[in-house]
Amino acid sequence: MPRIAVIGGGIAGMEAAIRLSNLNFEVDIIEKSFSLGGNVNNWHVLFPDHSPARLLIDQLKNQLRDKVNILLGTEVIRTEYNNQQYILHLSDGNRLTFDAIVITTGFKVFPAQRKEEYGYSVYPNVITSAQLEEFFQSEKPIHTSDHRLANRIAFIHCVGSRDDKVGNRYCSKVCCVTAVKQAMEVAQRNPGSEIFLFYMDLRMYDRHFEDLYFQAQTQYGIRFVRGRLSEVSEKSDARLYLKLEDTLLGKPLRLTVDLLVLMVGMEPADNSPQLANLFSIPVGTDRFIQPENFHLYKNRTSRPGVFVAGCASGPKSIGETLADARSAAFEVYNFFNNN
């Protein structure tokens, strides 16, 4: 029975491991943190159906139970290739041999302090979308850092995405719909609040995403402005003064808000380039792992027996991530049955 290493224990890694186990492979998940679930652990509810993120993780964990060997707090530090097998040297001192590898290292959120003009880590009422998700976990109204109810909130799209200045020219795909979902959650918790979404272009590409956009406007009165933020400063009362440009009208805007939310995009996980180097597989200009073929073989890499799934090969929604993990498992199956 072939033994498969799934490197990364987020939702892509869990789904790939479940499918591979169901195909009668022996599977090990190697996860560098001490919990499964990856970035989804930090989310409150999911779009477009507002289902609890915790429910998805629990369902995947239940399917993994007693099927897969899980190594938490463990990283791959060196690899060898011998007799068509991969020998992985792990951070815990173990050395394990596998017949194939699936890389599912996911992503990290863009560090917002790199956009200095937005005031993140300078002004306490400038937060990221990831931090707002943490606030949602409390089930309480959204307050500012000085404990005032946030009555006027602005969301800024494309922070760290589609931005040549920070080296990320790609779209992170889910920031637009995440902003809409989060704005609706804020409106539910802070009735009567004014909420503004400043976007470059709205990319609501998947099923029901446009419905959320329509609902946000008609039911919650959320205002969408095609605009670009140029500068943030703090007033004496700790509110934030924003200088923006309405890019549709070509006019400057000035706005005072209680809270500014930066919609941070995706970047490759810290260990993705390291793993690409260990397995001698290329990364793209976006630094995500490069598949063998973008159309026919999106889960294969240039190394035989090394596969990739989920956000390790680029930004994806949760639905796309899970589908990609299933596709990777099928590619592994074909690899052994066609050899």
Side-chain angles (χ1 to χ4, degrees), residues 209-315:
F209 287 10
E210 284 286 347
D211 295 338
L212 288 179
Y213 173 46
F214 180 76
Q215 186 182 7
Q217 297 174 86
T218 57
Q219 294 186 25
Y220 296 97
I222 295 165
R223 304 180 196 182
F224 291 79
V225 182
R226 191 174 186 272
R228 189 183 302 273
L229 177 65
S230 60
E231 185 181 341
V232 179
S233 59
E234 188 179 60
K235 303 180 74 172
S236 59
D237 59 0
R239 291 191 298 166
L240 301 166
Y241 182 65
L242 312 184
K243 293 182 180 180
L244 311 108
E245 178 191 3
D246 186 320
T247 55
L248 279 180
L249 300 178
K251 293 183 178 180
L253 292 175
R254 301 291 183 268
L255 186 68
T256 299
V257 299
D258 299 307
L259 195 67
L260 179 64
V261 182
L262 306 179
M263 304 306 301
V264 284
M266 300 183 190
E267 290 192 327
D270 289 333
N271 57 339
S272 284
Q274 174 191 357
L275 285 169
N277 183 59
L278 288 175
F279 288 106
S280 301
I281 54 178
V283 298
T285 56
D286 56 7
R287 307 181 308 284
F288 289 96
I289 291 174
Q290 184 96 355
E292 181 182 331
N293 183 291
F294 282 105
H295 304 288
L296 292 174
Y297 306 119
K298 293 195 71 172
N299 297 113
R300 299 185 192 178
T301 72
S302 58
R303 279 298 292 275
V306 179
F307 302 84
V308 63
C311 292
S313 61

Side-chain angles (χ1 to χ4, degrees), residues 13-278:
M14 288 194 287
E15 180 68 13
I18 291 164
R19 301 292 170 162
L20 288 165
S21 177
N22 291 342
L23 291 167
N24 296 319
F25 291 105
E26 183 181 354
V27 184
D28 292 59
I29 293 178
I30 302 170
E31 167 56 41
K32 68 175 183 177
S33 73
F34 289 91
S35 63
L36 297 175
N39 288 287
V40 180
N41 282 310
N42 303 320
W43 295 351
H44 179 240
V45 298
L46 308 177
F47 53 79
D49 60 354
H50 303 285
S51 61
R54 188 74 250 164
L55 178 62
L56 171 62
I57 294 173
D58 289 343
Q59 289 173 330
L60 291 172
K61 284 182 176 179
N62 287 338
Q63 293 181 67
L64 278 175
R65 189 168 295 155
D66 302 324
K67 290 185 174 182
V68 172
N69 183 37
I70 300 171
L71 305 174
L72 298 178
T74 306
E75 294 188 69
V76 178
I77 58 174
R78 191 160 68 88
T79 66
E80 298 177 53
Y81 187 63
N82 183 39
N83 196 26
Q84 298 185 320
Q85 289 184 313
Y86 290 93
I87 303 167
L88 305 187
H89 297 254
L90 305 180
S91 57
D92 61 5
N94 285 321
R95 189 178 71 168
L96 304 178
T97 300
F98 297 94
D99 300 289
I101 309 294
V102 183
I103 300 174
T104 58
T105 44
F107 69 93
K108 67 176 181 181
V109 297
F110 172 78
Q113 58 268 26
R114 287 172 59 190
K115 295 291 292 182
E116 296 178 359
E117 64 271 30
Y118 292 174
Y120 181 74
S121 75
V122 177
Y123 307 127
N125 289 318
V126 179
I127 65 172
T128 67
S129 48
Q131 288 174 294
L132 184 58
E133 286 291 331
E134 293 177 17
F135 293 172
F136 289 149
Q137 303 289 350
S138 71
E139 305 292 344
K140 296 178 180 178
I142 304 302
H143 288 78
T144 63
S145 63
D146 51 344
H147 309 295
R148 291 178 292 110
L149 188 67
N151 290 315
R152 183 179 261 200
I153 305 100
F155 289 76
I156 305 298
H157 289 224
C158 296
V159 177
S161 301
R162 304 176 66 194
D163 187 341
D164 198 38
K165 291 181 180 179
V166 299
N168 296 340
R169 292 192 297 271
Y170 54 86
C171 172
S172 290
K173 297 188 74 170
V174 299
C175 306
C176 286
V177 67
T178 299
V180 173
K181 179 209 75 128
Q182 290 189 336
M184 292 168 65
E185 287 189 84
V186 172
Q188 291 168 355
R189 291 168 187 242
N190 296 28
S193 58
E194 292 182 276
I195 302 174
F196 303 84
L197 269 65
F198 293 95
Y199 64 92
M200 291 174 63
D201 301 291
L202 280 174
R203 298 188 169 186
M204 311 291 285
Y205 67 93
D206 212 342
R207 189 180 183 192
H208 302 307
F209 287 10
E210 284 286 347
D211 295 338
L212 288 179
Y213 173 46
F214 180 76
Q215 186 182 7
Q217 297 174 86
T218 57
Q219 294 186 25
Y220 296 97
I222 295 165
R223 304 180 196 182
F224 291 79
V225 182
R226 191 174 186 272
R228 189 183 302 273
L229 177 65
S230 60
E231 185 181 341
V232 179
S233 59
E234 188 179 60
K235 303 180 74 172
S236 59
D237 59 0
R239 291 191 298 166
L240 301 166
Y241 182 65
L242 312 184
K243 293 182 180 180
L244 311 108
E245 178 191 3
D246 186 320
T247 55
L248 279 180
L249 300 178
K251 293 183 178 180
L253 292 175
R254 301 291 183 268
L255 186 68
T256 299
V257 299
D258 299 307
L259 195 67
L260 179 64
V261 182
L262 306 179
M263 304 306 301
V264 284
M266 300 183 190
E267 290 192 327
D270 289 333
N271 57 339
S272 284
Q274 174 191 357
L275 285 169
N277 183 59
L278 288 175

